[in-house]
Amino acid sequence: MCEVASVTNVSQTVLCVGGCESLRQGCSSLEEHISARVLFEQSLSAARGALRERPVDCVVCATPLPDGDGMTVVSDLRTEATDVPVVLFPSEGSERLAVRALRTDGVEYVPSDADARVERLLEAVERVLTEQAAGSADIRLRSFKRAVEQAGHSIYITDTDGTIRYVNPAFEATTGYSAAEALGARPAILKSGEHDDAFYENLWETILDGNAWQSEIVNERKDGSRYVVNQTIAPIHVDGEIVRFVAVNADITDRRAWRRRLRALHDATREWLELASPDHIADRARDQLDELLDAELVSVYCTTDDEGTLVPAAKTARESFEGFEPSAIESTEDRRWISFESSDPQHRSGVSHSATSDAVEELLLPVGDYGLIHVATTASFDDTDVGIARVFATNLEAVIDRIENYRALERKNERLDEFAGVVSHDLRNPLSVALGYLDILEERIGDDDDLHEIRRSLTHMDRIIDDVLWLASEGREVGEASTVSLRESAEESWSLVATADAGLRIESDLCFEADADRLNQLLENAFANAVTHGGSDVTVTVGALDDGTGFYIADDGEGIPPEKREAVLEPGYTTKEDGTGFGLAIIQRVVEGHGWSLDIGESDGGGAQLTVRL
């Protein structure tokens, strides 16, 4: 027999209805342990008479009675005492009765098959009498119970020892446990084994200290399947004492699965970027998509040098597709080829497949020029599956393009290095020899127009070599930036350019961050280009844009026709016999290296204008 502490200093009255021996034994114990006054009646009608004659704090009722059964007993008793708490003690219970009882305010239920049934009865009566003594606190607790009855989240209430005393309908729907099965049990029935002892120790330490505990937790349903909830457990206080705990569980299984799939998609993309060649991607893409979609068939087809053919590169086939070996796709009427050629992803249902007699649902995922991924299942793909698959294919296409571009750039850089070596060695050395012999001839012959022309040509060639080597070796790289003055940089650069009778006008200054050497290189090439194409008496104007976002270099020469403004930026393009064709290309590289933008247009004087926006 359990020890029941005194509930209140004022004796309370308990009415026991029915002739069940275990009921009479339990109710007799109430007199001994909590000094409650206990009344006994055999029938429902007699109990109603007793309720009319005197106030009663709790009714304990065995069912069935000679003149009533189940919840009809509660209804009849409450015609005499509207709010009287009732503890049902059935000899043969049912789940339906248990659920109805537990969802009726002021009704406790002791299952007929419960262990230590009399002790459970005493606990239930003690709990009712304690709540009766608590008065307004009990009203708040009952109001809370009504509020959570219709809640969408799974909610249960426990004693301070963890015994479940209430579950709402959402708990039953989520866990698969009925209220009758859960009540009297402990939350451990939901344990999945996912969390260690320290996890639960922290939970209990937190709530027993009077604090709310919150975390994601993996639980297990009655059927063994797992689900994930964001659980919050909070204490319920009465007069400063913790009397119950309430656990609110928001099901986040789908959300967590979505996060897991997004992480897998992100990790897949990172893995692709680390691969040396698209040739290595097929196997990884197959495995990753199989994990993301849990499909029965994943086939990766790749293009070949033979146009009009997609060949199988990797596949996973299981369940209904086990043993299936994909073959090359050659027919332009094949739905897979049509999807690939049109770059149109497809989601189809009710498709026939040679590997199975079942209807198949499939996804056709074109991957640019690389090939096609065919995913199939005899089950189904939901909208999330389709969305994940399409993002997967789009990312894969972008990564393959990036790898191919990177490899092309590597090959280009290798050729540029080779070219720079050729220019530096095979051209620079003979040029140096030619200039040396020219120095000797000038000493012998003296001032001579032909020798001047030779030096001019050799100097021009030297400048071309310098420009080519810079474009090939340095490209868009810039050094450390510092604050520069447009006026000072323009004046310095102008002094280093052969400008003949040309003039420089600086209309306004602008201070900004730039690599000073590269800025001077830009200005020198812009000035040289203006003089070369605008004439020896051209006027070059430099100034800041009105909104302060950049600067311009304008001249009053012949200008650049609109149809040629894109072509002039190509290395080597020139319309002058003595032009190198690299000036504007160098300007473009310097601009790009700083992250600026360049626009070529017409100046107010009808010449060319270069506008640089910072």
Side-chain angles (χ1 to χ4, degrees):
M1 191 70 64
C2 69
E3 294 293 329
V4 182
S6 177
V7 177
T8 176
N9 294 328
V10 179
S11 178
Q12 292 173 294
T13 301
V14 177
L15 174 60
C16 293
V17 185
C20 170
E21 179 58 31
S22 56
L23 174 66
R24 296 185 69 83
Q25 178 187 353
C27 289
S28 297
S29 299
L30 292 172
E31 292 182 306
E32 178 183 350
H33 291 287
I34 62 174
S35 301
R37 181 185 182 191
V38 181
L39 306 176
F40 292 93
E41 297 291 351
Q42 293 292 324
S43 65
L44 176 59
S45 58
R48 291 178 61 180
L51 288 173
R52 283 194 296 268
E53 293 175 2
R54 63 182 62 83
V56 171
D57 297 293
C58 175
V59 176
V60 180
C61 186
T63 63
L65 296 173
D67 50 353
D69 188 19
M71 288 300 292
T72 59
V73 172
V74 177
S75 299
D76 286 350
L77 289 173
R78 286 182 169 174
T79 60
E80 306 299 338
T82 306
D83 295 323
V84 65
V86 179
V87 178
L88 289 180
F89 193 77
S91 59
E92 291 184 3
S94 68
E95 184 173 320
R96 182 170 179 272
L97 173 60
V99 172
R100 288 189 62 197
L102 293 167
R103 291 193 178 148
T104 302
D105 284 341
V107 177
E108 293 277 350
Y109 181 84
V110 180
S112 60
D113 58 353
D115 295 332
R117 196 160 178 249
V118 172
E119 292 185 6
R120 292 278 295 274
L121 171 63
L122 295 177
E123 291 173 0
V125 173
E126 178 192 7
R127 189 162 52 251
V128 167
L129 296 179
T130 300
E131 291 176 352
Q132 284 289 88
S136 61
D138 180 57
I139 294 174
R140 292 195 298 272
L141 188 58
R142 292 178 186 277
S143 297
F144 173 78
K145 181 179 177 182
R146 285 193 295 270
V148 301
E149 192 75 17
Q150 302 300 320
H153 296 325
S154 167
I155 298 174
Y156 60 88
I157 299 173
T158 73
D159 286 340
T160 53
D161 66 355
T163 303
I164 298 175
R165 295 303 178 191
Y166 168 81
V167 297
N168 70 343
F171 175 94
E172 295 177 289
T174 300
T175 68
Y177 287 100
S178 67
E181 292 171 315
L183 292 163
R186 295 171 65 87
I189 61 174
L190 304 176
K191 271 191 176 181
S192 64
E194 180 76 16
H195 309 285
D196 58 19
D197 292 342
F199 179 87
Y200 294 103
E201 288 171 4
N202 172 261
L203 184 160
W204 277 104
E205 287 176 6
T206 301
I207 61 177
L208 288 174
D209 284 344
N211 301 312
W213 179 89
Q214 186 275 328
S215 180
E216 289 186 8
I217 183 170
V218 180
N219 284 337
E220 187 172 282
R221 299 183 179 91
K222 183 180 178 181
D223 63 8
S225 61
R226 291 187 173 191
Y227 65 105
V228 187
V229 295
N230 190 340
Q231 184 178 69
T232 300
I233 304 177
I236 298 176
H237 295 85
V238 174
D239 296 331
E241 296 292 329
I242 299 174
V243 296
R244 300 279 176 90
F245 296 113
V246 57
V248 181
N249 305 273
D251 193 329
I252 59 169
T253 307
D254 291 342
R255 189 193 314 167
R256 183 184 249 203
W258 175 248
R259 289 205 308 263
R260 178 187 61 78
R261 296 173 83 179
L262 286 180
R263 282 197 301 270
L265 186 61
H266 173 71
D267 292 344
T269 304
R270 293 185 61 183
E271 283 187 46
W272 300 333
L273 289 171
E274 294 172 0
L275 296 176
S277 164
D279 299 336
H280 303 144
I281 285 180
D283 288 340
R284 291 301 303 128
R286 172 204 59 200
D287 295 342
Q288 292 157 346
L289 201 54
D290 180 46
E291 179 184 352
L292 281 167
L293 300 183
D294 192 28
E296 296 171 62
L297 175 67
V298 179
S299 299
V300 181
Y301 297 87
C302 295
T303 54
T304 66
D305 294 336
D306 180 15
E307 293 185 6
T309 302
L310 292 172
V311 297
K315 64 97 179 177
T316 293
R318 49 189 171 82
E319 298 174 18
S320 297
F321 298 88
E322 193 168 359
F324 169 71
E325 290 296 335
S327 57
I329 302 172
E330 297 178 337
S331 172
T332 56
E333 297 181 359
D334 189 298
R335 65 183 182 280
R336 294 167 298 177
W337 176 264
I338 294 172
S339 175
F340 163 71
E341 192 173 44
S342 62
S343 299
D344 182 21
Q346 297 289 319
H347 175 207
R348 297 171 177 268
S349 301
V351 179
S352 61
H353 196 282
S354 60
T356 177
S357 59
D358 297 326
V360 169
E361 189 164 330
E362 68 177 11
L363 296 172
L364 302 178
L365 306 168
V367 186
D369 295 331
Y370 176 75
L372 175 88
I373 302 176
H374 180 206
V375 188
T377 181
T378 54
S380 63
F381 297 118
D382 59 24
D383 290 342
T384 299
D385 293 331
V386 175
I388 284 284
R390 290 186 173 182
V391 172
F392 181 93
T394 300
N395 286 1
L396 180 58
E397 179 181 351
V399 169
I400 291 175
D401 286 344
R402 177 172 174 176
I403 292 173
E404 292 287 15
N405 290 338
Y406 180 75
R407 293 175 68 189
L409 181 61
E410 280 189 323
R411 291 191 295 269
K412 179 179 179 182
N413 287 338
E414 289 172 0
R415 290 195 298 269
L416 283 174
D417 288 342
E418 293 173 1
F419 175 69
V422 170
V423 169
S424 179
H425 182 270
D426 294 1
L427 294 183
R428 178 78 78 186
N429 288 350
L431 179 62
S432 298
V433 172
L435 286 170
Y437 278 114
L438 180 60
D439 291 339
I440 295 174
L441 286 173
E442 286 178 336
E443 288 180 2
R444 290 178 181 175
I445 300 174
D447 191 17
D448 183 86
D449 291 341
D450 292 334
L451 294 181
H452 283 311
E453 185 61 29
I454 293 173
R455 181 169 295 280
R456 189 191 68 78
S457 297
L458 293 178
T459 302
H460 179 61
M461 183 182 296
D462 188 50
R463 195 165 81 248
I464 292 175
I465 292 173
D466 286 340
D467 289 344
V468 168
L469 287 175
W470 185 83
L471 286 171
S473 303
E474 299 183 52
R476 297 174 174 82
E477 293 182 6
V478 298
E480 184 177 352
S482 60
T483 301
V484 296
S485 162
L486 178 64
R487 179 184 297 278
E488 293 175 2
S489 297
E491 290 174 346
E492 180 181 354
S493 298
W494 185 263
S495 67
L496 299 175
V497 176
T499 55
D501 296 325
L504 173 67
R505 183 169 65 239
I506 301 176
E507 292 193 335
S508 56
D509 194 13
L510 179 68
C511 291
F512 54 95
E513 296 293 311
D515 177 341
D517 291 337
R518 291 288 173 262
L519 176 61
N520 286 344
Q521 187 179 26
L522 181 156
L523 293 169
E524 288 171 25
N525 277 277
F527 295 156
N529 187 74
V531 173
T532 299
H533 296 277
S536 60
D537 59 349
V538 70
T539 298
V540 180
T541 304
V542 176
L545 299 178
D546 292 339
D547 58 6
T549 60
F551 60 91
Y552 62 89
I553 306 162
D555 63 61
D556 55 3
E558 62 185 27
I560 303 174
E563 65 274 11
K564 294 183 179 180
R565 289 172 186 170
E566 185 173 345
V568 296
L569 296 176
E570 294 296 324
Y573 181 91
T574 182
T575 58
K576 295 292 184 179
E577 186 176 332
D578 58 348
T580 68
F582 293 107
L584 290 176
I586 290 175
I587 292 172
Q588 173 79 343
R589 296 296 191 274
V590 173
V591 166
E592 290 175 351
H594 282 87
W596 304 336
S597 65
L598 174 67
D599 179 65
I600 300 177
E602 184 178 342
S603 68
D604 292 341
Q609 176 165 314
L610 307 181
T611 301
V612 177
R613 293 195 177 273
L614 308 178

